Amino acid sequence: VQVVESGGGLVQAGGTLRLSCVASGSIVGIVAMGWYRQAPGNKRELVATILRSGTANYADSVKGRFTISRDNRNTVTLQMNSLKLEDTAVYYCNARTWGDLDYWGKGTLVTVSS
């Protein structure tokens, strides 16, 4: 499975940004997709995940501001509203397959400025 993110960039605090992720390859085995982020000096952390059933899970820090959606079996988007300075990070898309195998994209940088 190959995973490719797009949509990062520079945005002012309070603004919006939309990230997209496309998985290719053996997508039939994908059971969940999600977004993680890593800020400088920090560990990679979960932002939001969505199961094949459509059930979504969010980090407390983004609840009410971010929305994850699954357009089809292999495409997910992350709508980010009311962005804060602390949302600045490299955002990584993840695809998880049967057997808990994780596949990662190379990441896309989101920078929120004041």
Side-chain angles (χ1 to χ4, degrees):
V1 176
Q2 294 78 45
V3 179
V4 179
E5 308 98 337
S6 62
L10 175 64
V11 63
Q12 286 191 323
T16 65
L17 208 58
R18 185 179 178 90
L19 304 182
S20 295
C21 173
V22 178
S24 60
S26 300
I27 62 172
V28 65
I30 294 176
V31 297
M33 294 185 71
W35 291 93
Y36 294 71
R37 67 186 180 188
Q38 186 168 15
N42 291 357
K43 295 181 180 179
R44 189 174 298 187
E45 62 177 8
L46 178 146
V47 175
T49 60
I50 187 165
L51 303 180
R52 193 162 60 180
S53 64
T55 300
N57 179 54
Y58 297 92
D60 288 343
S61 59
V62 305
K63 282 181 181 176
R65 301 189 298 121
F66 291 10
T67 302
I68 188 170
S69 60
R70 190 160 186 172
D71 301 328
N72 52 46
R73 184 190 292 271
N74 65 325
T75 304
V76 291
T77 58
L78 184 68
Q79 179 66 40
M80 303 186 293
N81 299 330
S82 302
L83 283 161
K84 304 176 180 180
L85 297 179
E86 52 264 40
D87 293 319
T88 295
V90 177
Y91 284 70
Y92 296 92
C93 183
N94 167 271
R96 175 165 290 185
T97 65
W98 294 108
D100 289 340
L101 295 176
D102 286 315
Y103 297 87
W104 297 92
K106 294 182 178 180
T108 185
L109 178 62
V110 172
T111 303
V112 183
S113 65
S114 58

